[in-house]
């Protein structure tokens, strides 16, 4: 009688199994139990179990009318067949897996989705700030900001947020956001300073002050273009922005006095260099004959009794005095650069005539043109040299990095071949305007249904993006597979420079192919799913085995709760909590 819960039918003699047992003989009894004995009646799972019962023997002696009975205690170990055990383990594991997946959704996926949405809002806010930056800021710097923001956004979208691996990517985005916001804040301050400088330029501000501001802001712009900035460089950027803002605001009385003292020292140096006649007129050196228009009348200069020029500064004002002194200093620099001995070349004669026209009327624009002309003379490269090199086909387009990837900053530049390497750094290049057009072609499969419908259902669509400069930064959006890049060059007078290079006439042209790295999302998801499955295999198998062996009753809702609440599975999904509670005694 192995299981008292099963109905017995041993009372009827007709159902007895009769056999003869010789006296003192050993007998082996074999029973064919019911299959239901090896399955739990409540859950239907096959289980290994040990049961205690009684073996009832009823026997009759020969020629004796009475029936004798003997009860023998038994302890039986029930072991289900391997096939039945396998299917029961599989059913239990499936319910445990449901609980584990529910734990994954509530403990990992939901927090990750919220985290992803929060990062999206922060990146959208950064995009709004970037869009407010004016065109006064270098276009390359604006492109770099957009690319850096897009790189973080692509990192945010790199992995689906349903698995625990998304936390690493979200953490990288959260660590990159402060740097991006810090860079955006610096560029916004730079933009504000550049707009203020432009306003002061239109109102005839002191050129020396504007030159100092331009140098500071130019250094800030170049520094911010770097991919990585050290803390010392951030401090330098902050200091230069603060100094530029001080120069752009109305100066204090101490600053006015310091500026007037500097103008006074500059006047003394100029007067000592050129010398003055008895009327107070500056003397024109022999090498500067023909530039008499650059030397003002004595009535426009300090009188001989005004040695430091203080009275002159009070009468004409610091702005006008600064313009005149800057023009005379450029004349002095031209004299310094003039070739010694021999007849000057035609280039120097032309430059002298042009400088005489520019500096005879001191103005901020004229001073800027004169400085560029002097720099060209010092380098020995003029606009015509650049034009001839372009027309001769000695210019090429370079791309860094050489392999185009989606959402990656790429620097495009026009480079001259090594036959004339000094052309790549010559100031005369600024006389030539470079107009870039990026025609990026994207396919419907990678653009998405909304954009495809907005574009009229075309299979491929193109977007033309213009840029200006000898080097520009560009990035290809995800979905772009090819691009056509054209560069046109214009002289300082606005005429198009025609490049005689066969089929590329009259422009430089390139056709880069954007290479994708494949379906990275699916690859990451597959790898993460494999790792998660391998990690969950051991605890799920252990819990399933414990359930089959009678550790729990095994109802499906209990199995789901076990899979959900298991500490081992929880640690695998969200990480082990290493926080230790410190007792008051330990704290002391």
């Amino acid at each position: 009688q192995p299981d008292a819960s099963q109905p017995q039918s041993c009372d009827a003699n007709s159902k007895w199994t009769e056999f003869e047992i010789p006296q003192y003989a050993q007998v082996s009894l074999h029973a064919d139990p019911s299959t239901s004995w090896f399955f739990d009646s409540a859950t239907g799972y096959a289980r290994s179990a040990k049961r205690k019962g009684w073996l009832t023997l009823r026997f009759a002696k020969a020629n004796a009318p009475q029936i004798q009975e003997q009860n023998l205690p038994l302890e039986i170990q029930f072991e289900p067949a391997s096939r039945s055990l396998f299917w029961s383990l599989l059913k239990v594991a499936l319910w445990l897996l449901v609980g584990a997946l529910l734990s994954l959704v509530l403990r990992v996926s939901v927090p990750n989705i919220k985290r992803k949405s929060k990062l999206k809002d922060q990146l959208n806010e950064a995009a709004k700030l970037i869009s407010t930056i004016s065109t006064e800021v270098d276009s390359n710097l604006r492109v770099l900001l957009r690319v850096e923001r897009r790189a973080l956004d692509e990192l945010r979208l790199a992995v689906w947020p349903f698995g625990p691996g998304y936390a690493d990517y979200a953490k990288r985005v959260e660590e990159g956001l402060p740097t991006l916001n810090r860079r955006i804040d610096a560029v916004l301050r730079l933009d504000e300073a550049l707009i203020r400088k432009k306003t002061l330029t239109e109102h005839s501000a002191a050129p020396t002050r504007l030159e100092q501001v331009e140098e500071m802001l130019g250094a800030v712009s170049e520094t911010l273009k770097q991919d990585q900035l050290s803390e010392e460089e951030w401090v330098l950027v902050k200091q230069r922005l603060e100094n530029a803002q001080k120069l752009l605001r109305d100066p204090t009385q101490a600053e006015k006095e310091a500026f007037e003292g500097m103008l006074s020292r500059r006047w003394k140096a100029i007067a000592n260099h050129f010398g003055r006649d008895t009327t107070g007129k500056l003397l024109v050196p022999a090498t500067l004959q023909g530039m008499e228009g650059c030397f003002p009348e004595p009535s426009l200069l300090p009188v001989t009794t005004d040695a430091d020029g203080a009275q002159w500064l009070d009468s004409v004002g610091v702005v006008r005095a600064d313009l005149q002194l800057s023009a005379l200093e450029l004349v002095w620099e031209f004299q310094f650069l003039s070739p010694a001995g021999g007849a000057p070349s035609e280039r120097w004669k032309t430059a002298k005539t042009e400088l005489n026209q520019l500096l005879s009327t001191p103005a901020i624009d004229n001073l800027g043109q004169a400085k560029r002309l002097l720099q060209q003379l010092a380098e020995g490269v003029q606009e015509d040299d650049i034009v001839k090199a372009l027309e001769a086909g000695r210019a090429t387009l370079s791309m860094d990095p050489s392999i185009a990837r989606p959402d990656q900053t790429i620097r495009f530049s026009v480079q001259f071949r090594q036959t004339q390497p000094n052309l790549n750094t010559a100031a005369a290049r600024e006389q030539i305007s470079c107009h870039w057009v990026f025609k990026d072609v994207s396919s419907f499969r990678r653009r998405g249904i909304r954009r495809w419908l907005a574009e009229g259902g075309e299979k491929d669509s193109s977007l033309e993006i213009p840029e200006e400069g000898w080097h520009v930064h560009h990035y290809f959006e995800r979905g772009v597979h090819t691009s056509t890049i054209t560069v046109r060059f214009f002289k300082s007078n606005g005429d198009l420079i025609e490049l005689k290079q066969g089929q590329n006439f009259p422009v430089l042209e390139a056709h880069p192919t954007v290479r994708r790295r494949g379906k990275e999302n699916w690859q990451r998801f597959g790898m993460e799913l494999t790792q998660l499955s391998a990690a969950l295999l051991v605890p799920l198998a252990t819990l399933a085995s414990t359930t089959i062996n009678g550790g729990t009753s095994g109802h499906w809702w209990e199995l789901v709760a076990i899979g959900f609440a298991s500490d081992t599975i929880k640690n695998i999904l969200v990480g082990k909590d290493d926080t230790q509670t410190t007792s008051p005694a330990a704290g002391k």
Side-chain angles (χ1 to χ4, degrees):
Q1 190 177 340
D3 195 344
S5 63
Q6 297 294 329
Q8 304 301 317
S9 59
C10 297
D11 295 333
N13 293 347
S14 62
K15 295 185 178 181
W16 288 12
T17 300
E18 296 182 357
F19 51 89
E20 296 288 339
I21 302 177
Q23 190 175 7
Y24 305 116
Q26 291 183 354
V27 178
S28 296
L29 299 179
H30 298 274
D32 188 12
S34 174
T35 306
S36 60
W37 292 5
F38 298 88
F39 289 85
D40 183 72
S41 59
T43 62
Y45 299 138
R47 283 187 170 182
S48 298
K50 185 178 290 186
R51 294 289 184 267
K52 292 182 179 181
W54 297 89
L55 174 62
T56 300
L57 297 178
R58 294 175 179 176
F59 57 92
K61 290 185 178 182
N63 302 321
Q66 70 273 17
I67 302 296
Q68 297 186 11
E69 181 177 279
Q70 184 178 3
N71 293 322
L72 301 177
L74 293 178
E75 186 176 81
I76 302 176
Q77 177 69 33
F78 289 91
E79 293 292 345
S82 299
R83 183 175 181 181
S84 300
L85 185 61
F86 171 76
W87 287 111
S88 295
L89 285 171
L90 183 60
K91 293 177 182 178
V92 172
L94 287 176
W95 286 118
L96 291 172
L97 181 60
V98 171
L101 293 177
L102 184 61
S103 176
L104 175 67
V105 171
L106 296 181
R107 290 173 173 158
V108 177
S109 300
V110 173
N112 281 347
I113 292 174
K114 292 181 178 179
R115 195 174 182 181
K116 181 179 179 181
S117 178
K118 182 179 179 181
L119 292 176
K120 179 182 179 181
D121 294 339
Q122 293 175 349
L123 289 172
N124 287 341
E125 186 64 26
K128 292 178 182 178
L129 292 176
I130 294 173
S131 64
T132 61
I133 299 174
S134 70
T135 54
E136 293 297 319
V137 177
D138 188 358
S139 62
N140 293 323
L141 185 54
R142 287 184 277 120
V143 169
L144 289 174
L145 285 178
R146 292 198 297 268
V147 170
E148 186 173 351
R149 192 205 70 85
R150 283 190 62 87
L152 291 178
D153 195 37
E154 289 299 320
L155 192 61
R156 181 184 67 90
L157 301 172
V159 177
W160 284 299
F162 303 106
Y166 182 78
D168 295 334
Y169 289 85
K171 183 178 179 181
R172 290 165 60 184
V173 177
E174 290 169 348
E175 291 174 349
L177 271 172
T179 302
L180 174 63
N181 292 331
R182 191 177 187 181
R183 197 184 293 267
I184 292 175
D185 180 66
V187 175
L188 288 174
R189 294 179 61 189
L190 173 64
D191 186 28
E192 181 182 358
L194 288 171
I195 294 175
R196 175 64 177 165
K197 171 183 169 293
K198 181 180 179 181
T199 303
L200 292 180
T201 302
E202 295 173 351
H203 290 79
S204 300
T208 302
R209 190 180 297 273
L210 293 178
E211 184 178 356
Q212 293 174 348
V213 171
E214 185 175 356
E215 291 178 357
M216 293 179 184
L217 298 182
V220 169
S221 179
E222 293 300 320
T223 303
L224 291 175
K225 290 179 184 178
Q226 300 178 20
D227 293 334
Q228 300 292 333
L229 295 180
S230 63
E231 194 61 33
E232 291 77 8
E233 289 173 323
W234 278 115
V235 172
L236 188 61
V237 166
K238 181 179 179 181
Q239 291 176 347
R240 286 174 173 169
L241 285 173
E242 290 176 352
N243 292 335
Q245 290 171 348
K246 289 180 181 179
L247 292 173
L248 289 171
R249 69 167 185 254
D250 293 335
T252 62
Q253 185 61 34
E255 291 173 343
K256 290 180 179 179
E257 293 176 357
F259 190 70
E260 291 176 357
M262 180 192 65
L263 293 178
S264 178
R265 291 190 296 272
R266 290 168 61 189
W267 162 245
K268 290 180 181 179
I270 291 173
N272 291 334
H273 173 72
F274 289 107
R276 306 177 71 181
D277 58 14
T278 55
T279 62
K281 184 178 179 60
L282 293 173
L283 301 177
V284 181
T287 56
L288 298 179
Q289 295 297 323
M291 299 184 67
E292 290 79 7
C294 300
F295 294 85
E297 295 294 328
S299 59
L300 300 178
L301 296 174
V303 296
T304 54
T305 57
D306 186 14
D308 58 359
Q311 298 177 4
W312 174 61
L313 292 174
D314 291 337
S315 62
V316 300
V318 293
V319 175
R320 186 62 200 174
D322 191 15
L323 288 169
Q324 186 61 73
L325 293 177
S326 298
L328 291 172
E329 287 173 341
L330 291 176
V331 174
W332 186 357
E333 184 175 352
F334 177 75
Q335 182 187 11
F336 178 80
L337 294 175
S338 298
S345 63
E346 193 65 30
R347 174 175 294 184
W348 283 90
K349 292 180 180 178
T350 303
K352 178 185 287 190
T353 303
E354 187 174 352
L355 283 173
N356 186 52
Q357 295 175 351
L358 292 173
L359 299 179
S360 60
T361 308
I364 292 179
D365 291 339
N366 291 349
L367 293 178
Q369 295 181 38
K371 289 178 182 178
R372 289 191 291 270
L373 179 57
L374 289 174
Q375 190 172 358
Q376 293 176 26
L377 291 174
E379 294 173 346
V381 180
Q382 291 187 327
E383 180 182 353
D384 291 342
D385 299 323
I386 305 295
V387 173
K388 291 178 182 178
L390 290 172
E391 291 177 340
R394 292 199 292 269
T396 59
L397 295 183
S398 64
M399 183 174 68
D400 182 29
S402 57
I403 298 178
R405 299 287 188 188
D407 299 314
Q408 181 184 37
T409 306
I410 302 178
R411 187 179 190 271
F412 294 90
S413 58
V414 179
Q415 298 287 335
F416 291 97
R417 295 185 176 88
Q418 293 301 320
T419 53
Q420 289 181 290
N422 58 327
L423 296 182
N424 292 321
T425 57
R429 293 197 312 170
E430 303 303 322
Q431 302 290 105
I432 307 296
S433 301
C434 303
H435 181 70
W436 300 69
V437 176
F438 293 84
K439 188 176 182 180
D440 298 340
V441 181
S442 57
S443 60
F444 156 68
R445 181 172 61 87
R446 293 172 180 166
R447 289 198 318 274
I449 186 65
R450 292 182 179 178
R451 187 170 175 181
W452 179 72
L453 292 174
E455 293 167 354
E458 298 178 0
K459 182 178 180 181
D460 285 339
S461 67
S462 60
L463 177 65
E464 293 188 358
I465 303 175
E467 294 288 352
E468 296 288 339
W470 282 86
H471 67 271
V472 298
H473 289 83
H474 185 71
Y475 66 92
F476 300 102
E477 294 186 0
R478 180 168 295 187
V480 174
H481 54 83
T482 56
S483 180
T484 300
I485 304 173
T486 57
V487 187
R488 287 179 170 81
F489 303 91
F490 297 88
K491 299 179 182 179
S492 56
N493 61 3
D495 293 340
L496 175 66
I497 301 175
E498 298 182 350
L499 310 184
K500 300 177 176 60
Q501 297 190 84
Q503 295 181 354
N504 288 340
F505 171 83
V507 298
L508 280 180
E509 192 168 288
H511 303 272
T513 300
V514 183
R515 301 182 182 179
R516 299 174 57 84
R517 293 185 175 89
K519 299 179 179 179
E520 298 180 0
N521 263 356
W522 287 105
Q523 293 173 357
R524 293 192 185 100
F525 176 74
M527 182 178 298
E528 185 174 348
L529 182 61
T530 302
Q531 294 173 346
L532 186 61
S533 300
L536 291 176
L537 182 61
V538 174
L540 286 175
T542 303
L543 291 173
S545 177
T546 303
T547 302
I548 291 298
N549 290 328
T552 60
S553 60
H555 296 290
W556 68 267
W557 56 86
E558 293 178 342
L559 296 176
V560 172
I562 292 172
F564 180 85
S566 171
D567 290 336
T568 304
I569 295 177
K570 177 182 177 182
N571 293 336
I572 292 174
L573 297 178
V574 299
K576 186 176 181 180
D577 187 6
D578 296 329
T579 304
Q580 297 181 355
T581 304
T582 305
S583 62
K588 295 179 181 178

mmCIF file of all heavy atoms in Angstrom, residues 72-98:
data_model
loop_
_atom_site.group_PDB
_atom_site.id
_atom_site.type_symbol
_atom_site.label_atom_id
_atom_site.label_comp_id
_atom_site.label_asym_id
_atom_site.label_seq_id
_atom_site.Cartn_x
_atom_site.Cartn_y
_atom_site.Cartn_z
ATOM 1 N N LEU A 72 3.798 -5.131 6.747
ATOM 2 C CA LEU A 72 5.241 -4.881 6.792
ATOM 3 C C LEU A 72 5.512 -3.412 6.464
ATOM 4 O O LEU A 72 5.040 -2.893 5.433
ATOM 5 C CB LEU A 72 5.969 -5.769 5.782
ATOM 6 C CG LEU A 72 5.783 -7.286 5.968
ATOM 7 C CD1 LEU A 72 6.489 -8.036 4.867
ATOM 8 C CD2 LEU A 72 6.282 -7.717 7.338
ATOM 9 N N PRO A 73 6.251 -2.683 7.322
ATOM 10 C CA PRO A 73 6.553 -1.267 7.001
ATOM 11 C C PRO A 73 7.528 -1.166 5.812
ATOM 12 O O PRO A 73 8.480 -1.943 5.712
ATOM 13 C CB PRO A 73 7.190 -0.746 8.291
ATOM 14 C CG PRO A 73 7.759 -1.946 8.945
ATOM 15 C CD PRO A 73 6.862 -3.104 8.604
ATOM 16 N N LEU A 74 7.266 -0.151 4.938
ATOM 17 C CA LEU A 74 8.099 0.058 3.737
ATOM 18 C C LEU A 74 8.511 1.534 3.622
ATOM 19 O O LEU A 74 7.778 2.428 4.056
ATOM 20 C CB LEU A 74 7.326 -0.333 2.473
ATOM 21 C CG LEU A 74 6.977 -1.809 2.279
ATOM 22 C CD1 LEU A 74 6.170 -1.979 0.991
ATOM 23 C CD2 LEU A 74 8.235 -2.665 2.223
ATOM 24 N N GLU A 75 9.679 1.772 3.041
ATOM 25 C CA GLU A 75 10.126 3.124 2.655
ATOM 26 C C GLU A 75 10.595 3.034 1.202
ATOM 27 O O GLU A 75 11.584 2.348 0.898
ATOM 28 C CB GLU A 75 11.254 3.605 3.556
ATOM 29 C CG GLU A 75 11.642 5.056 3.262
ATOM 30 C CD GLU A 75 12.706 5.571 4.234
ATOM 31 O OE1 GLU A 75 13.886 5.269 3.999
ATOM 32 O OE2 GLU A 75 12.325 6.249 5.202
ATOM 33 N N ILE A 76 9.858 3.700 0.341
ATOM 34 C CA ILE A 76 10.086 3.540 -1.104
ATOM 35 C C ILE A 76 10.581 4.866 -1.694
ATOM 36 O O ILE A 76 10.045 5.951 -1.378
ATOM 37 C CB ILE A 76 8.801 3.103 -1.821
ATOM 38 C CG1 ILE A 76 8.286 1.784 -1.207
ATOM 39 C CG2 ILE A 76 9.028 2.924 -3.310
ATOM 40 C CD1 ILE A 76 6.980 1.323 -1.790
ATOM 41 N N GLN A 77 11.613 4.839 -2.534
ATOM 42 C CA GLN A 77 12.133 5.989 -3.258
ATOM 43 C C GLN A 77 11.567 5.962 -4.680
ATOM 44 O O GLN A 77 11.868 5.050 -5.460
ATOM 45 C CB GLN A 77 13.674 5.956 -3.316
ATOM 46 C CG GLN A 77 14.296 7.088 -4.113
ATOM 47 C CD GLN A 77 14.122 8.439 -3.420
ATOM 48 O OE1 GLN A 77 14.111 8.491 -2.177
ATOM 49 N NE2 GLN A 77 13.969 9.490 -4.196
ATOM 50 N N PHE A 78 10.730 6.954 -4.996
ATOM 51 C CA PHE A 78 10.131 7.039 -6.325
ATOM 52 C C PHE A 78 11.034 7.887 -7.238
ATOM 53 O O PHE A 78 11.341 9.030 -6.910
ATOM 54 C CB PHE A 78 8.737 7.670 -6.260
ATOM 55 C CG PHE A 78 7.706 6.792 -5.629
ATOM 56 C CD1 PHE A 78 7.442 6.841 -4.269
ATOM 57 C CD2 PHE A 78 7.000 5.894 -6.419
ATOM 58 C CE1 PHE A 78 6.493 6.025 -3.708
ATOM 59 C CE2 PHE A 78 6.038 5.071 -5.842
ATOM 60 C CZ PHE A 78 5.786 5.126 -4.479
ATOM 61 N N GLU A 79 11.444 7.359 -8.347
ATOM 62 C CA GLU A 79 12.279 8.062 -9.319
ATOM 63 C C GLU A 79 11.576 8.021 -10.657
ATOM 64 O O GLU A 79 11.400 6.948 -11.252
ATOM 65 C CB GLU A 79 13.650 7.401 -9.436
ATOM 66 C CG GLU A 79 14.515 7.499 -8.201
ATOM 67 C CD GLU A 79 14.965 8.927 -7.921
ATOM 68 O OE1 GLU A 79 14.851 9.778 -8.835
ATOM 69 O OE2 GLU A 79 15.430 9.183 -6.800
ATOM 70 N N PRO A 80 11.135 9.197 -11.164
ATOM 71 C CA PRO A 80 10.452 9.202 -12.458
ATOM 72 C C PRO A 80 11.418 8.909 -13.592
ATOM 73 O O PRO A 80 12.634 9.044 -13.450
ATOM 74 C CB PRO A 80 9.888 10.615 -12.553
ATOM 75 C CG PRO A 80 10.791 11.431 -11.710
ATOM 76 C CD PRO A 80 11.239 10.535 -10.575
ATOM 77 N N ALA A 81 10.879 8.541 -14.710
ATOM 78 C CA ALA A 81 11.701 8.283 -15.892
ATOM 79 C C ALA A 81 12.362 9.582 -16.369
ATOM 80 O O ALA A 81 11.872 10.684 -16.123
ATOM 81 C CB ALA A 81 10.837 7.671 -16.994
ATOM 82 N N SER A 82 13.479 9.445 -17.042
ATOM 83 C CA SER A 82 14.241 10.623 -17.494
ATOM 84 C C SER A 82 13.413 11.512 -18.402
ATOM 85 O O SER A 82 13.477 12.746 -18.325
ATOM 86 C CB SER A 82 15.513 10.169 -18.219
ATOM 87 O OG SER A 82 16.332 9.423 -17.352
ATOM 88 N N ARG A 83 12.624 10.910 -19.271
ATOM 89 C CA ARG A 83 11.824 11.708 -20.199
ATOM 90 C C ARG A 83 10.779 12.528 -19.458
ATOM 91 O O ARG A 83 10.601 13.711 -19.717
ATOM 92 C CB ARG A 83 11.158 10.790 -21.209
ATOM 93 C CG ARG A 83 10.357 11.511 -22.263
ATOM 94 C CD ARG A 83 9.820 10.540 -23.292
ATOM 95 N NE ARG A 83 9.055 11.234 -24.321
ATOM 96 C CZ ARG A 83 8.447 10.609 -25.336
ATOM 97 N NH1 ARG A 83 8.533 9.280 -25.448
ATOM 98 N NH2 ARG A 83 7.773 11.307 -26.229
ATOM 99 N N SER A 84 10.099 11.883 -18.490
ATOM 100 C CA SER A 84 9.094 12.611 -17.715
ATOM 101 C C SER A 84 9.738 13.718 -16.897
ATOM 102 O O SER A 84 9.204 14.841 -16.788
ATOM 103 C CB SER A 84 8.349 11.646 -16.795
ATOM 104 O OG SER A 84 7.696 10.647 -17.539
ATOM 105 N N LEU A 85 10.912 13.418 -16.329
ATOM 106 C CA LEU A 85 11.614 14.421 -15.540
ATOM 107 C C LEU A 85 12.062 15.606 -16.401
ATOM 108 O O LEU A 85 11.982 16.762 -15.979
ATOM 109 C CB LEU A 85 12.819 13.780 -14.855
ATOM 110 C CG LEU A 85 13.603 14.662 -13.894
ATOM 111 C CD1 LEU A 85 12.709 15.121 -12.752
ATOM 112 C CD2 LEU A 85 14.829 13.930 -13.358
ATOM 113 N N PHE A 86 12.504 15.326 -17.623
ATOM 114 C CA PHE A 86 12.952 16.400 -18.521
ATOM 115 C C PHE A 86 11.817 17.358 -18.842
ATOM 116 O O PHE A 86 11.971 18.581 -18.762
ATOM 117 C CB PHE A 86 13.511 15.793 -19.809
ATOM 118 C CG PHE A 86 13.788 16.811 -20.881
ATOM 119 C CD1 PHE A 86 14.900 17.628 -20.810
ATOM 120 C CD2 PHE A 86 12.912 16.969 -21.956
ATOM 121 C CE1 PHE A 86 15.159 18.574 -21.795
ATOM 122 C CE2 PHE A 86 13.163 17.911 -22.937
ATOM 123 C CZ PHE A 86 14.284 18.716 -22.856
ATOM 124 N N TRP A 87 10.657 16.834 -19.198
ATOM 125 C CA TRP A 87 9.532 17.710 -19.549
ATOM 126 C C TRP A 87 9.031 18.487 -18.341
ATOM 127 O O TRP A 87 8.633 19.648 -18.449
ATOM 128 C CB TRP A 87 8.399 16.890 -20.151
ATOM 129 C CG TRP A 87 8.705 16.415 -21.548
ATOM 130 C CD1 TRP A 87 8.929 15.150 -21.947
ATOM 131 C CD2 TRP A 87 8.835 17.247 -22.711
ATOM 132 N NE1 TRP A 87 9.202 15.104 -23.297
ATOM 133 C CE2 TRP A 87 9.145 16.388 -23.796
ATOM 134 C CE3 TRP A 87 8.730 18.612 -22.954
ATOM 135 C CZ2 TRP A 87 9.343 16.849 -25.088
ATOM 136 C CZ3 TRP A 87 8.921 19.077 -24.242
ATOM 137 C CH2 TRP A 87 9.231 18.210 -25.287
ATOM 138 N N SER A 88 9.083 17.864 -17.178
ATOM 139 C CA SER A 88 8.671 18.603 -15.981
ATOM 140 C C SER A 88 9.653 19.728 -15.668
ATOM 141 O O SER A 88 9.250 20.850 -15.320
ATOM 142 C CB SER A 88 8.573 17.640 -14.798
ATOM 143 O OG SER A 88 7.547 16.685 -15.013
ATOM 144 N N LEU A 89 10.962 19.432 -15.786
ATOM 145 C CA LEU A 89 11.967 20.479 -15.581
ATOM 146 C C LEU A 89 11.782 21.611 -16.576
ATOM 147 O O LEU A 89 11.946 22.795 -16.239
ATOM 148 C CB LEU A 89 13.377 19.884 -15.703
ATOM 149 C CG LEU A 89 13.870 19.040 -14.532
ATOM 150 C CD1 LEU A 89 15.180 18.362 -14.898
ATOM 151 C CD2 LEU A 89 14.068 19.920 -13.303
ATOM 152 N N LEU A 90 11.469 21.270 -17.818
ATOM 153 C CA LEU A 90 11.289 22.289 -18.844
ATOM 154 C C LEU A 90 10.093 23.181 -18.512
ATOM 155 O O LEU A 90 10.163 24.415 -18.648
ATOM 156 C CB LEU A 90 11.089 21.615 -20.204
ATOM 157 C CG LEU A 90 10.951 22.556 -21.403
ATOM 158 C CD1 LEU A 90 12.200 23.410 -21.548
ATOM 159 C CD2 LEU A 90 10.706 21.764 -22.690
ATOM 160 N N LYS A 91 8.975 22.589 -18.064
ATOM 161 C CA LYS A 91 7.802 23.388 -17.709
ATOM 162 C C LYS A 91 8.102 24.316 -16.524
ATOM 163 O O LYS A 91 7.725 25.487 -16.519
ATOM 164 C CB LYS A 91 6.637 22.468 -17.377
ATOM 165 C CG LYS A 91 6.107 21.683 -18.559
ATOM 166 C CD LYS A 91 4.990 20.739 -18.128
ATOM 167 C CE LYS A 91 4.489 19.905 -19.306
ATOM 168 N NZ LYS A 91 3.440 18.936 -18.889
ATOM 169 N N VAL A 92 8.786 23.751 -15.522
ATOM 170 C CA VAL A 92 9.131 24.581 -14.371
ATOM 171 C C VAL A 92 10.064 25.719 -14.779
ATOM 172 O O VAL A 92 9.899 26.874 -14.364
ATOM 173 C CB VAL A 92 9.771 23.704 -13.269
ATOM 174 C CG1 VAL A 92 10.323 24.572 -12.154
ATOM 175 C CG2 VAL A 92 8.759 22.717 -12.724
ATOM 176 N N ALA A 93 11.058 25.386 -15.610
ATOM 177 C CA ALA A 93 12.009 26.411 -16.048
ATOM 178 C C ALA A 93 11.319 27.517 -16.836
ATOM 179 O O ALA A 93 11.683 28.690 -16.736
ATOM 180 C CB ALA A 93 13.116 25.770 -16.881
ATOM 181 N N LEU A 94 10.298 27.152 -17.628
ATOM 182 C CA LEU A 94 9.589 28.168 -18.404
ATOM 183 C C LEU A 94 8.855 29.147 -17.491
ATOM 184 O O LEU A 94 8.881 30.365 -17.722
ATOM 185 C CB LEU A 94 8.596 27.493 -19.357
ATOM 186 C CG LEU A 94 9.220 26.776 -20.556
ATOM 187 C CD1 LEU A 94 8.144 26.064 -21.371
ATOM 188 C CD2 LEU A 94 9.974 27.761 -21.435
ATOM 189 N N TRP A 95 8.205 28.633 -16.432
ATOM 190 C CA TRP A 95 7.524 29.543 -15.506
ATOM 191 C C TRP A 95 8.535 30.388 -14.729
ATOM 192 O O TRP A 95 8.302 31.577 -14.476
ATOM 193 C CB TRP A 95 6.647 28.753 -14.537
ATOM 194 C CG TRP A 95 5.396 28.229 -15.159
ATOM 195 C CD1 TRP A 95 5.031 26.933 -15.302
ATOM 196 C CD2 TRP A 95 4.351 28.998 -15.750
ATOM 197 N NE1 TRP A 95 3.816 26.827 -15.941
ATOM 198 C CE2 TRP A 95 3.368 28.098 -16.215
ATOM 199 C CE3 TRP A 95 4.132 30.369 -15.924
ATOM 200 C CZ2 TRP A 95 2.200 28.508 -16.853
ATOM 201 C CZ3 TRP A 95 2.956 30.784 -16.551
ATOM 202 C CH2 TRP A 95 2.020 29.860 -17.004
ATOM 203 N N LEU A 96 9.657 29.801 -14.377
ATOM 204 C CA LEU A 96 10.701 30.581 -13.714
ATOM 205 C C LEU A 96 11.251 31.658 -14.647
ATOM 206 O O LEU A 96 11.549 32.780 -14.229
ATOM 207 C CB LEU A 96 11.837 29.659 -13.258
ATOM 208 C CG LEU A 96 11.512 28.694 -12.117
ATOM 209 C CD1 LEU A 96 12.663 27.725 -11.905
ATOM 210 C CD2 LEU A 96 11.216 29.452 -10.827
ATOM 211 N N LEU A 97 11.364 31.292 -15.941
ATOM 212 C CA LEU A 97 11.848 32.261 -16.924
ATOM 213 C C LEU A 97 10.869 33.416 -17.088
ATOM 214 O O LEU A 97 11.273 34.571 -17.253
ATOM 215 C CB LEU A 97 12.080 31.561 -18.261
ATOM 216 C CG LEU A 97 12.625 32.439 -19.404
ATOM 217 C CD1 LEU A 97 13.969 33.032 -19.020
ATOM 218 C CD2 LEU A 97 12.737 31.643 -20.695
ATOM 219 N N VAL A 98 9.584 33.108 -17.030
ATOM 220 C CA VAL A 98 8.579 34.184 -17.092
ATOM 221 C C VAL A 98 8.778 35.153 -15.936
ATOM 222 O O VAL A 98 8.731 36.381 -16.101
ATOM 223 C CB VAL A 98 7.157 33.591 -17.073
ATOM 224 C CG1 VAL A 98 6.114 34.689 -16.903
ATOM 225 C CG2 VAL A 98 6.889 32.822 -18.360
#
